[in-house]
């Protein structure tokens, strides 16, 4: 998008991941004019494969997105590369969507599917291996590291839960206390499941032939592992929403804050902002690819229904005055 445009769309979708593309596909098939503006920075870009998506298990995330873009285009929808920097509410209630390159388009409705950013623990070398052998979700990666030695980095109160969960895939689980203090009860729970606890702060990763083989400790020791499990903080990419005056909310699990998310109706994706919906990880951070895509379809149907309702009201007004 390299110029100021005065195009007008029924719906502009901000974000071209699984949720955004699924929503755009549904809207295009509903004969809506739809534009997807995608920054090209999907959350799962570091992963070579995705799992748990029926019919697509083991496929490349990039391949899925390429197919999705083609399908959207096949029904008349558009997908453009760009970074949305601001959205203005116009006097008539519609939106002016502005991009970093100076381009702008109008939208009757807005579907925000910008996803989230995984904020990782500050351990040297960890971020470079994220999505490869530094992992978070066992349903995404557990099968691939089954029966191998893995370590869980304790950075918060959910570390024990993580260790217990990953124990389902391997009997060789070590919990690294790192900067977290474990209670006596937590230690007993871990011991009951055969999870070893290693004290000491983790200072780096041990890598051989581009594969993780262990982690190094502050005292000079090394703990063997083929995968390192971490708990990132889920930070919603919600700049578009906050720019319109909608603050993000804290995401909690078991009473502990694990990130931020956009507050929206779980069934329809509708936000407190009239004309604005969300889908995917920006509003549901724990959603996997399949769930995000399904939510994109569901939210798109709600957006279309809202447009139909508006069009019916306008048609009735014209009919009565004819």
């Amino acid at each position: 998008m390299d110029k100021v445009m005065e195009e007008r769309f029924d719906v502009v979708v901000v974000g071209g991941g699984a949720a955004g593309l699924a929503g755009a596909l549904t809207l295009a098939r509903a004969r809506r004019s739809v534009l997807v503006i995608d920054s090209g920075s999907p959350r799962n870009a570091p992963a070579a494969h995705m799992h748990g998506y029926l019919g697509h298990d083991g496929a490349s995330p990039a391949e899925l997105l390429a197919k999705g873009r083609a399908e959207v285009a096949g029904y008349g929808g558009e997908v453009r590369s760009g970074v949305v920097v601001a959205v203005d509410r116009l006097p008539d209630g519609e939106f002016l969507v502005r991009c970093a390159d100076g381009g702008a388009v109008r939208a009757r409705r807005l579907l925000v599917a910008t996803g989230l950013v995984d904020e990782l623990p500050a351990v040297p070398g960890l971020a470079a291996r994220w999505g490869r052998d530094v992992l978070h979700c066992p349903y995404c990666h557990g099968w691939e590291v089954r029966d191998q030695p893995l370590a869980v980095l304790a950075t918060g109160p959910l570390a024990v839960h993580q260790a217990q969960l990953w124990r389902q895939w391997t009997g060789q689980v070590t919990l690294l206390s790192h900067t977290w203090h474990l209670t006596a009860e937590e230690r007993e729970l871990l011991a009951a499941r055969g999870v070893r606890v290693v004290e000491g702060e983790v200072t780096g990763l041990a890598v051989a032939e581009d594969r993780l083989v262990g982690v190094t400790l502050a005292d000079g020791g090394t703990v063997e592992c083929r995968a390192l499990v971490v708990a990132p903080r889920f930070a919603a990419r919600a700049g578009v929403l906050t720019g319109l005056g909608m603050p993000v909310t804290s995401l909690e699990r078991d009473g502990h804050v694990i990130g931020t998310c956009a507050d929206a109706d779980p069934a329809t994706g509708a936000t407190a902002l009239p004309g604005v919906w969300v889908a995917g990880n920006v509003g549901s951070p724990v959603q996997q690819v399949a769930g995000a895509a399904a939510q994109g379809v569901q939210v798109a149907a709600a957006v279309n229904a809202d447009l139909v309702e508006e069009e019916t009201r306008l048609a009735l007004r014209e009919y009565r005055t004819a």
Side-chain angles (χ1 to χ4, degrees):
M1 302 177 67
D2 55 2
K3 61 179 180 177
V4 175
M5 294 177 289
E6 297 179 353
E7 296 169 282
R8 179 174 181 264
F9 294 87
D10 289 329
V11 185
V12 169
V13 180
V14 185
L21 289 174
L25 179 62
T26 301
L27 288 163
R29 283 178 51 82
R31 309 190 74 177
R32 293 295 178 186
S33 59
V34 57
L35 170 66
V36 179
I37 303 175
D38 183 32
S39 66
S41 54
R43 178 191 182 194
N44 60 359
H49 307 282
M50 61 181 186
H51 297 283
Y53 195 157
L54 188 64
H56 298 283
D57 189 73
S60 160
E63 177 186 342
L64 178 73
L65 297 185
K67 288 182 176 179
R69 294 186 194 103
E71 289 172 352
V72 171
Y75 288 99
E78 296 187 50
V79 181
R80 299 176 188 170
S81 297
V83 177
V84 174
V85 293
V87 177
D88 301 322
R89 174 85 70 173
L90 299 173
D92 60 6
E94 294 189 358
F95 303 95
L96 186 66
V97 182
R98 302 179 184 274
C99 289
D101 62 7
V105 295
R106 287 177 63 106
R108 296 173 64 194
R109 300 292 187 272
L110 200 65
L111 173 51
V112 179
T114 43
L116 61 82
V117 174
D118 293 296
E119 296 179 348
L120 302 172
V123 173
L126 185 150
R129 307 202 67 79
W130 175 239
R132 300 168 62 191
D133 38 32
V134 173
L135 311 171
H136 164 64
C137 174
Y139 301 102
C140 300
H141 303 285
W143 177 264
E144 283 63 45
V145 296
R146 65 192 185 281
D147 298 327
Q148 298 182 41
L150 64 84
V152 177
L153 186 70
T155 56
L158 298 181
V160 172
H161 170 73
Q162 278 190 300
Q164 293 170 334
L165 190 60
W166 281 84
R167 176 63 178 78
Q168 174 66 23
W169 280 265
T170 177
Q172 304 176 68
V173 179
T174 299
L175 182 68
L176 307 166
S177 68
H178 190 46
T179 58
W180 191 254
H181 175 71
L182 296 170
T183 66
E185 182 181 1
E186 289 174 328
R187 291 176 184 276
E188 185 178 31
L189 287 172
L190 294 168
R193 290 285 281 160
V195 176
R196 182 172 65 126
V197 176
V198 172
E199 308 291 345
E201 184 176 352
V202 175
T203 56
L205 275 57
V207 178
E209 298 181 352
D210 198 30
R211 295 191 65 181
L212 181 68
V213 295
V215 298
T216 56
L217 305 176
D219 63 6
T222 300
V223 177
E224 178 189 5
C225 64
R226 296 295 178 271
L228 177 64
V229 176
V230 302
R233 181 179 181 274
F234 303 129
R237 290 173 172 161
V240 169
L241 298 168
T242 57
L244 284 167
M246 181 181 139
V248 296
T249 59
S250 295
L251 174 68
E252 296 188 7
R253 172 168 286 184
D254 298 331
H256 304 291
V257 176
I258 61 173
T260 58
C261 64
D263 189 14
D265 183 272
T268 66
T271 73
L273 300 171
V276 181
W277 283 257
V278 300
N281 285 155
V282 68
S284 304
V286 297
Q287 202 74 268
Q288 293 178 262
V289 178
Q295 191 175 49
V297 173
Q298 185 175 2
V299 171
V303 174
N304 183 63
D306 186 67
L307 285 166
V308 168
E309 183 178 348
E310 177 184 78
E311 290 159 354
T312 301
R313 288 197 307 269
L314 294 174
L316 180 60
R317 184 185 308 166
E318 292 181 7
Y319 177 79
R320 286 174 172 173
T321 58

